[in-house]
């Protein structure tokens, strides 16, 4: 029987482990390749190599691109972190303390955030800006991610399921606030 390997670093996975011991990436079992509903690449597992898929337990809200809406995002957005850092994003990005390896594997922009309190995971959040819509998904982080929309706080599922980010929303990763503005 072949051992399962991490799709990100190639290390042999420990049985019943949720994380790769080599790179720390969350291992999503039961899902193979790119998930059509979310578009995020899931690690391949020995059990999932045959193409089996676990049934989805949750119901996803419909995702809408906003190309004709005045609320549509432009081709670039600026992220302002409560740590004082700022960066521009155009396309896909991975945010965390050390997101370089995962971002490289996904062909995304790596955004490393200095976090002395370690409330941010090595790989914490996925962002994708496409067709006038901005989507965010938690990367299986320890301290979670959420969207602050007015008075509401919407937690992101640790499975990487993407949620629309609207203008005026604020993202939180661990203890770090991220303001998003059109660039």
């Amino acid at each position: 029987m072949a051992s399962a390997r991490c799709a990100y670093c190639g290390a042999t996975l420990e049985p019943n482990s949720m994380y790769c011991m080599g790179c720390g990436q969350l291992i999503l079992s039961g899902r193979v390749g790119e998930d059509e509903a979310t578009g995020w690449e899931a690690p391949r597992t020995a059990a999932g190599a045959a193409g089996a898929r676990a049934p989805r337990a949750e119901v996803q809200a419909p995702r809408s691109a906003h190309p004709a809406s005045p609320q549509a995002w432009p081709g670039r957005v600026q992220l302002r972190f409560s740590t004082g850092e700022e960066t521009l994003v155009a396309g896909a990005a991975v945010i965390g303390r050390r997101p370089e390896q995962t971002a490289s594997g996904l062909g995304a922009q790596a955004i490393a955030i200095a976090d002395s309190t370690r409330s941010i995971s090595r790989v914490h959040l996925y962002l994708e800006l496409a067709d006038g819509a901005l989507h965010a998904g938690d990367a299986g982080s320890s301290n979670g991610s959420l969207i602050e929309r007015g008075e509401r706080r919407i937690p992101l599922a640790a499975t990487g399921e993407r949620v629309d980010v609207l203008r005026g929303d604020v993202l939180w990763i661990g203890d770090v606030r991220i303001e998003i503005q059109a660039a």
Side-chain angles (χ1 to χ4, degrees):
M1 181 165 141
S3 297
R5 296 211 170 268
C6 176
Y8 300 96
C9 72
T12 301
L13 299 175
E14 296 292 323
N16 300 320
S17 178
M18 289 181 56
Y19 297 92
C20 171
M21 297 303 202
C23 68
Q25 182 63 40
L26 176 69
I27 304 302
L28 303 173
S29 62
R31 294 167 54 187
V32 180
E34 184 174 313
D35 186 12
E36 296 86 12
T38 65
W40 296 113
E41 183 73 14
R44 301 180 193 286
T45 63
R53 241 182 224 283
R56 289 177 113 34
E58 70 255 8
V59 176
Q60 278 191 310
R63 214 174 64 189
S64 62
H66 312 284
S69 165
Q71 294 297 317
W73 290 100
R76 295 185 322 167
V77 294
Q78 181 173 18
L79 305 180
R80 288 194 175 130
F81 298 87
S82 58
T83 59
E85 297 161 279
E86 293 184 10
T87 190
L88 289 175
V89 173
V94 179
I95 302 173
R97 280 191 339 267
R98 298 193 43 90
E100 297 82 8
Q101 186 175 11
T102 301
S104 175
L106 294 173
Q109 175 183 349
I111 302 173
I113 302 301
D115 179 32
S116 60
T117 65
R118 296 186 63 97
S119 69
I120 298 177
S121 296
R122 186 187 62 78
V123 175
H124 201 108
L125 186 79
Y126 299 122
L127 279 181
E128 183 180 17
L129 178 62
D131 300 323
L134 179 63
H135 307 288
D138 188 272
S141 65
S142 299
N143 290 323
S145 304
L146 61 87
I147 295 176
E148 185 179 298
R149 184 171 290 157
E151 298 296 316
R152 292 180 49 210
R153 289 187 155 212
I154 306 162
L156 300 178
T159 59
E161 303 291 331
R162 292 185 298 173
V163 175
D164 284 339
V165 178
L166 306 177
R167 288 192 182 215
D169 286 351
V170 174
L171 291 171
W172 285 87
I173 56 174
D175 296 332
V176 176
R177 176 184 166 100
I178 307 171
E179 294 179 5
I180 309 155
Q181 296 179 340

